[in-house]
Amino acid sequence: MSTASKFVPRAPEACWRHFTDAATLTGWVPGLRRARVVTSYPGGLAHEVAFEFAASRTYSLVYSYDVEARAVSWAPRMGQRDAVRGSARFDAEDHGTRVTYTTEDGDGRTAADRALDAPHALLESFVRWMVAAR
């Protein structure tokens, strides 16, 4: 299991909203070609999302949310060998947000896959994208 934490100079609500919107994932997740919501919870948050990556890797993740705590977790449903399990939390900090991101890779992930979606790399990408989205 790997964990990273990073400051984002945006409000927690904005970070949460963009992170939990499957339509924005291709904007900041490296190598992601497509993210399709399979099922949603009442209220609109995605329950299951199918992912298609450039390296012909596909899997789906099932999400659960603690909206009040601005925390989300995910676990593989389809393609478990290639998928990743994890969580993210968005806490208010000094006129911005502290994002804590944790992942646990499936057995089928290559070293290149692990480097591409390591928590530090994903958070760097998310922060760049959030800053540019202003």
Side-chain angles (χ1 to χ4, degrees):
M1 187 174 297
S2 299
T3 300
S5 178
K6 187 101 175 127
F7 178 78
V8 183
R10 297 286 306 270
E13 296 78 18
C15 291
W16 166 262
R17 186 175 58 254
H18 288 291
F19 191 94
T20 60
D21 182 356
T24 68
L25 294 174
T26 57
W28 64 270
V29 176
L32 182 61
R33 284 187 176 165
R34 185 173 178 213
R36 180 180 54 85
V37 176
V38 177
T39 58
S40 296
Y41 289 103
L45 289 171
H47 173 255
E48 182 178 359
V49 178
F51 294 91
E52 188 178 306
F53 284 84
S56 299
R57 187 170 28 110
T58 61
Y59 57 82
S60 71
L61 299 175
V62 174
Y63 289 83
S64 60
Y65 304 89
D66 181 338
V67 176
E68 287 184 27
R70 287 187 298 269
V72 56
S73 61
W74 54 90
R77 177 154 189 200
M78 179 190 80
Q80 292 189 24
R81 255 185 113 252
D82 293 330
V84 63
R85 172 181 311 275
S87 64
R89 183 180 173 101
F90 304 83
D91 296 304
E93 179 182 296
D94 298 328
H95 308 293
T97 305
R98 171 67 52 185
V99 181
T100 304
Y101 193 93
T102 301
T103 61
E104 182 179 344
D105 293 313
D107 294 338
R109 297 179 77 78
T110 66
D113 292 338
R114 292 171 196 263
L116 191 61
D117 60 15
H120 292 285
L122 282 170
L123 275 181
E124 285 293 331
S125 183
F126 181 70
V127 171
R128 279 193 307 274
W129 186 79
M130 285 298 295
V131 169
R134 285 187 169 228

